[in-house]
Amino acid sequence: MLNISGIKEGVVLDHIQAGKSMDIYRHLGLGDMDCTVAIIKNAKSSKMGRKDIIKIEGSLDSLDLDVLGYIDHNITVNIIRDDKIVEKRCLKLPNRLVNVIHCKNPRCITSVEQELPHIFYLADKEKELYRCQYCDEKHS
Amino acid sequence: MRHLLSPLDFTVEETEKLLTLASDIEKNRPRYAHVCDGKKLATLFFEPSTRTRLSFESAMLSLGGSVLGFSSADSSSAAKGESVADTIRVISCYADICAIRHPKEGAAFVAASKSSIPVINAGDGGHQHPTQTLTDLLTIHSLKGGIGNMTVGLCGDLKFGRTVHSLIHALVRYPNIRFVLISPPELRVPDYIKESVLDAKNVEYRETANLDDAMEELDILYMTRVQRERFFNEEDYIRMKDCYILDKEKMKLAKPDMYVLHPLPRVNEISVEVDDDPRAAYFKQAQYGVYVRMALIMTLLEVEQPC
């Protein structure tokens, strides 16, 4: 078994769907941060069979949990302090997303006024459906 | 400060209040002739629209206010590349309220988010046209003495027609409304409206392609135009454009107190011979459009009702 050392202070994103860790790495902008990041792919999981894990050294403040909730709200966020898990946070689908996904409707005002933020709202929680705040077009 | 961006921005109670005010304006026009003295309405029309713009201007002038604005993007700074956000910031310095029409969906939302004056969405592409819906509601309210307990027939292009979609959204908030959706199979109401509005609220409806069969059960018939600009294929447009033509013969099948509405302009879908029928309410509807816009301007400007 591959051993990755623990982190003294930081965040462990657990129960990531196998193969999705690099998407999350990109969406969270982890490549632009100075902190240490470990990505574990295809780890064995009794619950999921295989899973990915990301360990991030540093504060939770720099992470956009809304993005994470949108990508996969089944991910568990473990907050680590002094080598111990002090909090487990469950994610939920965010009610609002700003500049995470983009509206593809050519008739939307965002298609011509490019400085506008792309804002989506959660229109149907069960179907996990987001609609553009400007034109109400669903995101697909 | 409030804006009107979608027909559902007002609750049923607020809509009722607005319709009551509009009805009072209809009955007592002279009393309202100076309630907006000194106020200015800016009409920002980034795409041409005769009826809606003139209806807004007529409404403000009838309240004693004045109007300023432009009627196409070419005659505004949009032609120089100015954003909607910048335009509205500037217009906020010149007027007390504005009505905006723009070809892009969501333009009114952008304007409202940056504006320091009330913004009325006068149509944003194929998205929302709330004052048309309020006009339709006032017309039904006035002609039938209220909204509810009625069968409403929607006929024509039910797929792309935004006025039809908005009217469905608005009417399902009233009690005991039943719909007959009359269209060719290709132009039926989209599934998402059937599922998320009609089915979700347990509203009774039936779909048919036959206008004649539906006539006798209707209390309101809302006719729509098949719009050429919605079709990618000219052949499809030609095949469907005249699929429903309301004429005298069809009107014979209708109840004596059934009213015909149309958002206008009409092309061939209502024969001119129907215009003289007392149940033809589409030109009256245009007049109600002025009253409802007068009531809306007063409401958003928080103008006191005259004693």
Side-chain angles (χ1 to χ4, degrees):
Chain A
M1 169 138 183
L2 179 68
N3 269 323
I4 307 279
S5 63
I7 49 175
K8 194 171 166 57
E9 190 133 352
V11 183
V12 175
L13 307 179
D14 199 359
H15 302 116
I16 300 171
Q17 206 185 317
K20 290 283 179 186
S21 54
M22 284 312 290
D23 287 348
I24 290 167
Y25 181 86
R26 277 190 292 271
H27 273 292
L28 289 178
L30 295 175
D32 301 328
M33 292 183 191
D34 294 336
C35 55
T36 307
V37 177
I39 297 173
I40 303 161
K41 289 183 72 176
N42 294 321
K44 276 185 187 164
S45 162
S46 54
K47 205 164 99 180
M48 304 169 68
R50 294 277 174 185
K51 66 178 180 180
D52 288 2
I53 302 167
I54 299 179
K55 295 184 176 189
I56 307 157
E57 208 163 35
S59 159
L60 182 69
D61 298 343
S62 50
L63 295 181
D64 185 348
L65 292 185
D66 279 352
V67 177
L68 214 48
Y70 169 71
I71 300 167
D72 185 355
H73 57 276
N74 295 314
I75 293 170
T76 310
V77 180
N78 297 309
I79 317 287
I80 316 287
R81 265 185 220 123
D82 295 328
D83 298 312
K84 286 184 187 131
I85 297 175
V86 292
E87 190 185 341
K88 272 182 183 284
R89 249 184 234 186
C90 291
L91 297 172
K92 55 179 183 178
L93 279 175
N95 289 325
R96 198 164 180 265
L97 288 170
V98 181
N99 288 333
V100 178
I101 47 181
H102 285 73
C103 185
K104 294 172 192 154
N105 176 7
R107 299 176 304 276
C108 181
I109 186 73
T110 55
S111 69
V112 287
E113 300 211 352
Q114 269 126 33
E115 76 287 0
L116 290 170
H118 285 246
I119 308 169
F120 281 76
Y121 65 92
L122 182 58
D124 190 326
K125 206 172 170 181
E126 265 176 38
K127 292 180 185 160
E128 300 185 8
L129 175 70
Y130 281 87
R131 287 190 183 275
C132 173
Q133 180 82 66
Y134 302 93
C135 66
D136 291 305
E137 186 84 356
K138 68 180 173 191
H139 179 72
S140 51
Chain B
M1 185 181 64
R2 288 193 69 174
H3 309 286
L4 180 71
L5 305 179
S6 139
L8 302 185
D9 284 356
F10 287 162
T11 63
V12 174
E13 292 73 28
E14 287 170 331
T15 306
E16 280 298 309
K17 210 174 155 189
L18 187 88
L19 300 183
T20 304
L21 175 59
S23 296
D24 193 61
I25 292 171
E26 180 195 359
K27 292 180 193 97
N28 304 291
R29 278 190 78 159
R31 273 177 53 200
Y32 293 86
H34 296 287
V35 291
C36 284
D37 275 357
K39 303 280 187 190
K40 291 188 280 291
L41 165 77
T43 52
L44 315 179
F45 278 61
F46 292 86
E47 67 174 3
S49 155
T50 319
R51 266 169 308 280
T52 307
R53 184 170 59 84
L54 294 183
S55 178
F56 269 109
E57 295 186 358
S58 170
M60 190 49 156
L61 294 172
S62 300
L63 294 168
S66 45
V67 295
L68 66 163
F70 51 86
S71 56
S72 78
D74 295 342
S75 53
S76 78
S77 285
K80 298 173 193 161
E82 187 177 55
S83 67
V84 170
D86 281 4
T87 303
I88 195 67
R89 282 190 185 107
V90 173
I91 300 298
S92 293
C93 307
Y94 303 155
D96 301 287
I97 186 167
C98 85
I100 177 170
R101 168 165 286 201
H102 197 286
K104 290 293 179 186
E105 301 175 6
F109 174 81
V110 174
S113 65
K114 302 291 177 192
S115 176
S116 57
I117 59 173
V119 172
I120 301 169
N121 183 2
D124 56 341
H127 186 219
Q128 302 281 2
H129 190 2
T131 57
Q132 179 63 53
T133 308
L134 291 175
T135 300
D136 300 339
L137 292 180
L138 177 64
T139 309
I140 297 171
H141 190 273
S142 301
L143 296 175
K144 303 299 282 184
I147 305 171
N149 306 311
M150 56 179 66
T151 299
V152 179
L154 304 168
C155 178
D157 175 6
L158 308 187
K159 184 180 181 183
F160 299 112
R162 75 180 160 191
T163 55
V164 166
H165 300 168
S166 294
L167 190 57
I168 292 173
H169 273 101
L171 283 176
V172 296
R173 304 197 295 177
Y174 292 87
N176 200 17
I177 295 280
R178 191 177 160 264
F179 291 101
V180 182
L181 308 172
I182 309 149
S183 71
E186 298 91 334
L187 296 177
R188 281 186 188 151
V189 169
D191 286 344
Y192 75 88
I193 292 186
K194 281 186 253 176
E195 287 163 14
S196 66
V197 184
L198 296 172
D199 295 338
K201 294 190 186 279
N202 284 321
V203 174
E204 193 189 335
Y205 69 93
R206 75 176 179 94
E207 292 182 291
T208 177
N210 192 324
L211 175 58
D212 287 30
D213 283 355
M215 286 302 280
E216 64 175 358
E217 60 186 299
L218 304 179
D219 297 298
I220 294 288
L221 172 59
Y222 195 93
M223 295 294 294
T224 61
R225 175 172 59 102
V226 175
Q227 298 176 74
R228 172 179 262 144
E229 59 271 29
R230 305 291 186 204
F231 287 85
F232 289 115
N233 185 337
E234 182 74 4
E235 277 174 30
D236 286 345
Y237 168 71
I238 290 167
R239 187 164 51 84
M240 282 184 263
K241 73 183 173 82
D242 292 330
C243 54
Y244 299 107
I245 297 176
L246 183 67
D247 56 20
K248 265 187 174 173
E249 287 304 307
K250 287 190 175 62
M251 288 298 283
K252 282 181 190 163
L253 303 170
K255 292 179 187 172
D257 61 347
M258 188 276 300
Y259 289 100
V260 182
L261 275 64
H262 191 299
L264 301 179
R266 65 139 168 222
V267 185
N268 292 327
E269 59 278 7
I270 302 177
S271 166
V272 289
E273 65 186 22
V274 178
D275 295 355
D276 296 329
D277 190 306
R279 296 168 293 178
Y282 31 92
F283 293 118
K284 231 179 263 178
Q285 194 180 348
Q287 180 65 63
Y288 284 123
V290 178
Y291 299 139
V292 93
R293 289 182 177 98
M294 289 169 77
L296 179 64
I297 290 168
M298 283 181 65
T299 303
L300 295 182
L301 284 177
E302 298 176 13
V303 170
E304 293 282 318
Q305 275 199 57
C307 305

